Amino acid sequence: MTKRPTLAVMKFASCDGCQLTLLDAEDELLAVAEAVHISHFAEASSRLEPGPYDVALVEGSITTPEDRHRLLKLRAESKFLVTIGACATAGGVQALRNFADHQEFMRSVYARPDYIETLATSTPISSHVKVDFELRGCPIDKHQLLEVIASLVAGHRPRTSTESVCQPCKRRGTVCVVVARRVPCLGPVTQAGCGSICPAYDRGCYGCFGPSHQPNLPSMTQRLVSNGMDTADSALFLQSFNTYSPAFSHESQRLWQIAGRPQKLHPSLMTVEHSHSSQMEADHD
Amino acid sequence: MITTQDNPKIVANPWLSHSVVIDAIQQEIESVATYQMRFVDSHVAQGYRFQPGQFNMLYIPGCGESAISHSGPPSLDGNKIVHTIRFVGRVTDAIAKLRVGDRLGVRGPFGTAWPMDRCKGRDVIVVAGGIGLAPLRPALYSFMENRDDFGRVVLLYGSRSPELLLYAEELESWKERGIEIQVTVDRATESWQGAVGVVPLLLDRLAGLKPNFTEVVMCGPEVMMHYSALSAIKRNIPKESIWLSIERNMQCAVGLCGHCQLGPVFVCRQGPVFRYDAIENLLKVRDF
Amino acid sequence: MYYLDRIKLQEVFDDLSSREYELVGPRVEQEAIVYDQIERVEDLPKGWTDEQSPGQYRLKRRDDEALFGYVIGPHSWKKYMFPPLVNVLSSRRDADGWKMQDEPVEPKKFALIGARACELAAIAVQDRVFMSDAYVDPIYAKRREGLFIVAVNCTQAASTCFCTSMGTGPRCQSNFDLALTELPNGFVVEVGSPAGQDIVDRLGFRRASAAECQSAESCRQVAVTQITRKVETEGIRDKLLSRLEHPRWDNVAERCLSCANCTLVCPTCFCSSVDDVTDLTNDEVLRQRRWDSCFNFDFSHISGGPIRNQTRSRYRQWLTHKMASWIDQFGTSGCVGCGRCITWCPVGIDLTQEIAAICTDVDES
Amino acid sequence: MIDSNDAQRKIHVPILTRVEGEGSLLVKIDGNVVRDVQLAIYEPPRLFEAMLRGRPFDDVADFTARICGICPIAYQMTAVQALENAMGVSVSPEIRKLRRLMYCGEWIESHVLHMHLLHAPDFFSCDSGIELARRFPDEVKRGLRMKKFGNRLLEVLGGRAIHPVNLAVGGYYRLPRREELAALIPDFEWALQAAIETAKWVAQFPFPDFQVNYDYVALSHPDEYAIIDGRVICSDGMDIAIEDYEQHFVEEQVPHSTALQSHRIPGRRPYFVGPLARVNLSRHQLSPSAQRVADEIGWETPCHNPYKGIVARALEVIHAFEEGLEILRSYRPTGEARTKFEVCEGHGTSVTEAPRGLIYHRYHTGADGKIIFAKIVPPTSQNQAQIESDLHRMLPGILSSEDDKIALQCERLIRNYDPCISCSTHFLKLRIERS
Ligand SMILES: Cc1cc2nc3c(=O)[nH]c(=O)nc-3n(C[C@H](O)[C@H](O)[C@H](O)COP(=O)(O)OP(=O)(O)OC[C@H]3O[C@@H](n4cnc5c(N)ncnc54)[C@H](O)[C@@H]3O)c2cc1C
Ligand code: SF4
Ligand code: SF4
Ligand code: SF4
């Protein structure tokens, strides 16, 4: 076998749950430590080695100028960068601020918001640097994480399914909660990966793996509404852990418009495409 | 034409792959290489036969399978399996990392073959685009090995640019063995002396064509095949004499998984080689 | 025709269990009637029925104690012969390289309790798909071989049923060992195979009286009269295949979520994919087959991207396959009229309406 | 990273490791005097309280779980209970039992993780649990296995171990089936013995001599080892109802940190929450095996050595497996998974014992069931002031050491508290400035 790849686990704004997923792989953890060289994983080890890294697993979203700089450095040091989880992939639940009055948000939590340097937005890693692979989920799924690690160890390009949550739901024999009980469920427009847990626990999927490929959100939300949810609540339903994913963000804004309470996206994000692409170019020089 | 449908029932695990070992690797052009492999189990090797146009499923455990056509002489058994592979994604990139002596899995052969019997005694126009020359090479070898059984054999071959011409050195020797060859490229380089333009143009201009004594066999991008078929028809070649090999997603290769459907046909079983009139209408439907 | 007293149904169950059949049948779970392991008559959905319409299913109480007084639910029997997830190959790497090994196909003997006419037809369709061409799916074949089928004739129908259009029901015609028609205190039993006859003889069923046969017939007739949904099957193949650019495909694509529920609940859909599951060092690999669906974006993927890159083309693939190209491929329709895809579509798309809209003559070809 | 020159010595520990979340520590030393100790939590603020306003009440458990991936149950449980209090919902005794069981799962998962992978390495100068596993393979593997069973319990009860999905206001979305829980019994039987062995193992660790008479604060319940309800008590005699929490504790913002710090009022006194506080206050209510092992290892009560928090954790792990086992054995699904209730306007609070200590939530719901106001006080913000005070106490004694040794000592001390920094809705780096 060739040299073990070096692995770094890095964190930005997040709850630590996605990196914990690695520590929660109790049966595989010691094997992972054999298969890869863990060179930076602050949550698990005091030995923090500098880059370059073969693989960086990145958790969390970018919410402070300092984090943005840390990320740029990490990208420069990493060959293959994988975002793990909804925060890194879509901005996380904290991206709700992108649609709100940030100053007011800060004031409601901190008496002296001026002590804290923070961006008014929470943006995914891909808004700042090139991302090589995304692992969805809030939190990510252990099996998917191990699959990605195994693929990278073997030198294969990782791959995860893009099917909808409904498919594992049906394969595990769960009775559809929408059809049998009129429970609101985002399964049909959400990417699979979690194992379709929620419907198996008698509740609707809340979309923590983010939008599926080509989701038909207008049809989905029309169904939510015809099944009794009001338009504003349907918008809120899409605005959780992947609120800033393009598909959910776009549809929730449309719904707020209909509900007569249009939300304002933070001005800096209006041009995000711009800064995004120029950023990627900068990184590739 | 042989289809697996004509065979007696096979109640064996269709997924069972056999170990092969790589004996030689020849880098052809950028991102394309030819592999020569042999079944590790000598019984399997001796019992293995294929027809030009048929394909194997190559398997890298832990990564996946890819459908790859035979590109070697059809006289060979399972001690010398030849595949020319373009590296385009997960599985083929993993194949690219293999070295002589490494092992992988192979199951096959699957699918229909080029109409070699029908070609006997007739002229044959071989139309190839890019990597599409690989699946046609076994047929070309057959023509050369049994040169007297066939009439005029013309190869019309196009690629995007001169560096991307597959089997460039071999082409010269084929000429010596009685194959007329015309080559065209989409984009010429300074040193390029040959034709520039798309393959169908070569067919439009081909001299001495005897429409009723000709079979056309083609493989390449679907658009290229579409226009080449139109050119052939314009030149009065009957649809029943036009053959093409097409690509679809394949998982099982034996008609059980559903992936390769093109309307009513299973490409793995009734194809990949089809007579043009059998799928003409299907290919015209966008996204079908 | 024989007659089986309701209290003696358990004897049939016990007899089958004693001959190593795993009994699977209807039971109430997750607010629906699903198919799962059963042991006793008490496990059956006594006194329950279902009410179905596009995108909606409700479990309801009956005013009697019927055991089979429901129509069909979200599950289909295909999960037993064509498991949702199954290992097909294992590979192991040693110093020499890879060794691939067959995954042993476990022989399974299932007794299906309560299969309906449309479901028997669906099993026949899958028999054709999996066992009648050059390559036979060994997993399906092994599990199919071991089946014992206790069918039940429908005595009511759901609003979503259209078996009469598809010529598959509601009366069970063949493909069963025993077929029951439920009466208030027992069942009129029809024998469909030597194995069925054997059990009748062994347990000493008595002959059914003419009156019993008569009331069974009138119960079955109720189902026939309740079926209102229709598909015009005359010429359907040509009609659909000549309307591949019909505007209705765009219209349905606006509603369809491409979620694949319809294909997974369908008792005849057979598409699958295989994937590898590995250990971390990639030395032990299991190849697994899972139910897949033509509604998946990746389903038709080739290196240049998916062939069917839009919901419009995926829905079209599904419907034309079911109703048209299936006929070319297997000599039968791929639809048996069970209506599951109508009920279990989260947005209530009804294929009978789509067919009607597409096949009524706006001939654009 | 160490920069020293004669005039001024600065020590940074840019990232405090083996804690969940990220933070840093700045120590300013003037000659031989410790001028300032600042535990800076620079976990980027995620503003949960603000995000919750205007959301349907059912979102709260799902959202607050995302504050911390290590102890999501603590957040979820406190949230649903506070909301139940706000809307006047009571849950059945069966549900309450299941909730204690679920919390046991989180204690196990979190404690065992901290003990084996984060804390124990300190006692053997290892960098990580993985390195420790080379030295103590059997012990670490045993720990991982116990942790797995804690997680498995969470998976059964919650669908997954991190951000589980099953807890609801009024109970659960779905009750587990009896077989699902019963299947865990053999594993828990093994784990109870394993936990006992583990406690005996950690009890022999080389503990530094460091004694502080803290104000221990924890929940207390008349009939059981308090986890999800009871009264808030302190070793100094304070005994208050949960509703009165905010009258006795105040959260303050400090310039150097994004986490708020809690103090007791009056007097701005720091206080100590977590396993050590709980065991000190309620040892007599630990499960029989936990009490027996405490006796066997000669555990003194109260114990004033924060380094021995790892032993308190070990005792609680025994308790959690033992109580868990009892519930697993007796469980029969009965009644509704979720009590029916009317959504209404109301104010409600709840306190529970997160693995690392007291956690407090307060909500105001509107008549439409939307959240009008939310307040969350996580354990780490409560211990933060105490940690700073400990450092003040420890530093003068070790000032003569090399800076990197000091840094190491400080980090060790902080790790005693198992600070979960992401949950201070909030990151640690150590910097020592000498002038
Ligand atoms: C009958 C047949 C013969 C072929 N012969 C050759 C050949 O001789 N030489 C050659 O280089 N290529 C050939 N191909 C194409 C080759 O199969 C694909 O390029 C290859 O499967 C791509 O797989 P990948 O994992 O590297 O790419 P990815 O894009 O990563 O593919 C992902 C998955 O999609 C599927 N897939 C992708 N592309 C195709 C495709 N074109 N056909 C079927 N499934 C696909 C596979 O399941 C693959 O595992 C042939 C295809 C067919 C159908
Ligand atoms: S419950 Fe949700 S995820 Fe499952 S099939 Fe229904 S809509 Fe899809
Ligand atoms: S297509 Fe629909 S109605 Fe027809 S068999 Fe399938 S699920 Fe039943
Ligand atoms: S027809 Fe209905 S069930 Fe089928 S993919 Fe479309 S939305 Fe899903």
Side-chain angles (χ1 to χ4, degrees), chain A residues 188, chain C residues 252 255-263 295 311 315 318 341 344-349:
Chain C
V252 68
R255 287 168 283 137
C256 173
L257 306 172
S258 215
C259 64
N261 276 310
C262 47
T263 51
F295 278 96
T311 301
Y315 189 89
W318 177 66
C341 58
W344 298 97
C345 170
V347 291
I349 294 174

Side-chain angles (χ1 to χ4, degrees), chain C residues 162 262 265-268 318 322 334-341 351:
Chain C
F162 59 105
C262 47
V265 294
C266 175
T268 68
W318 177 66
K322 285 269 104 150
C335 175
V336 297
C338 71
R340 281 185 178 85
C341 58
L351 82 169

Side-chain angles (χ1 to χ4, degrees), chain B residues 4 9-10 13 15 17 19 59 61-62 65 103 105 248-249 251 256-257 259 261 264 266 269 286-287, chain C residues 88 96 98 100 102 131 133-134 136 271-274 276 285 287 299 301-302 308 310 313 316 321 329:
Chain B
T4 32
K9 279 197 188 167
I10 304 165
N13 181 357
W15 298 107
S17 230
S19 272
Y59 178 40
E65 283 187 322
R103 292 187 185 193
R248 283 294 179 272
N249 185 303
Q251 304 265 316
L256 297 174
C257 76
H259 283 260
Q261 289 177 74
F266 286 98
R269 226 168 47 196
R286 194 165 45 94
D287 292 355
Chain C
V88 295
D96 292 339
W98 288 103
M100 272 70 74
D102 252 329
M131 304 202 301
D133 280 321
V136 170
C271 288
S272 64
S273 276
V274 282
D276 284 359
V285 176
R287 201 149 172 72
F299 187 81
H301 177 93
I302 60 171
R308 292 185 281 273
Q310 312 166 46
S313 41
R316 182 179 68 186
H321 184 217
Q329 294 170 346

Side-chain angles (χ1 to χ4, degrees), chain D residues 65-256:
Chain D
R66 269 68 182 185
I67 294 175
C68 173
I70 295 92
C71 53
I73 302 285
Y75 285 90
Q76 296 194 314
M77 197 75 79
T78 322
V80 296
Q81 291 190 154
L83 289 164
E84 283 160 4
N85 290 336
M87 297 189 283
V89 186
S90 53
V91 300
S92 66
E94 286 78 17
I95 296 286
R96 187 173 173 279
K97 256 203 177 137
L98 270 187
R99 287 184 169 177
R100 275 185 72 89
L101 175 66
M102 194 173 202
Y103 226 122
C104 285
E106 177 152 294
W107 275 16
I108 293 166
E109 172 270 325
S110 174
H111 280 359
V112 176
L113 168 78
H114 183 254
M115 290 162 60
H116 293 81
L117 295 182
L118 312 182
H119 202 188
D122 274 342
F123 296 91
F124 303 96
S125 312
C126 293
D127 292 330
S128 68
I130 290 160
E131 197 186 315
L132 186 76
R134 295 195 187 107
R135 200 149 144 205
F136 297 99
D138 296 342
E139 286 80 359
V140 173
K141 280 185 192 146
R142 181 177 67 201
L144 286 171
R145 203 161 158 216
M146 288 193 281
K147 178 167 170 306
K148 178 165 117 180
F149 296 145
N151 276 331
R152 198 173 279 167
L153 173 63
L154 293 176
E155 284 159 16
V156 171
L157 285 173
R160 60 183 168 202
I162 305 170
H163 308 332
V165 303
N166 197 14
L167 201 59
V169 177
Y172 281 94
Y173 287 97
R174 163 166 92 70
L175 293 180
R177 286 183 294 274
R178 178 155 185 245
E179 323 80 77
E180 285 179 300
L181 284 184
L184 297 172
I185 292 172
D187 295 341
F188 267 56
E189 284 169 344
W190 172 88
L192 174 57
Q193 293 314 311
I196 292 171
E197 297 306 314
T198 303
K200 293 180 181 164
W201 177 54
V202 299
Q204 302 163 12
F205 283 5
F207 297 103
D209 186 22
F210 189 81
Q211 305 269 338
V212 186
N213 197 348
Y214 298 104
D215 284 359
Y216 299 104
V217 174
L219 268 181
S220 151
H221 189 279
D223 311 322
E224 56 194 8
Y225 196 71
I227 304 180
I228 56 173
D229 48 14
R231 292 174 64 82
V232 181
I233 63 165
C234 176
S235 46
D236 70 357
M238 182 200 75
D239 182 343
I240 59 165
I242 284 171
E243 300 80 70
D244 298 335
Y245 175 91
E246 285 180 64
Q247 287 160 35
H248 294 83
F249 300 89
V250 66
E251 264 196 313
E252 284 177 356
Q253 192 191 355
V254 286
H256 58 261

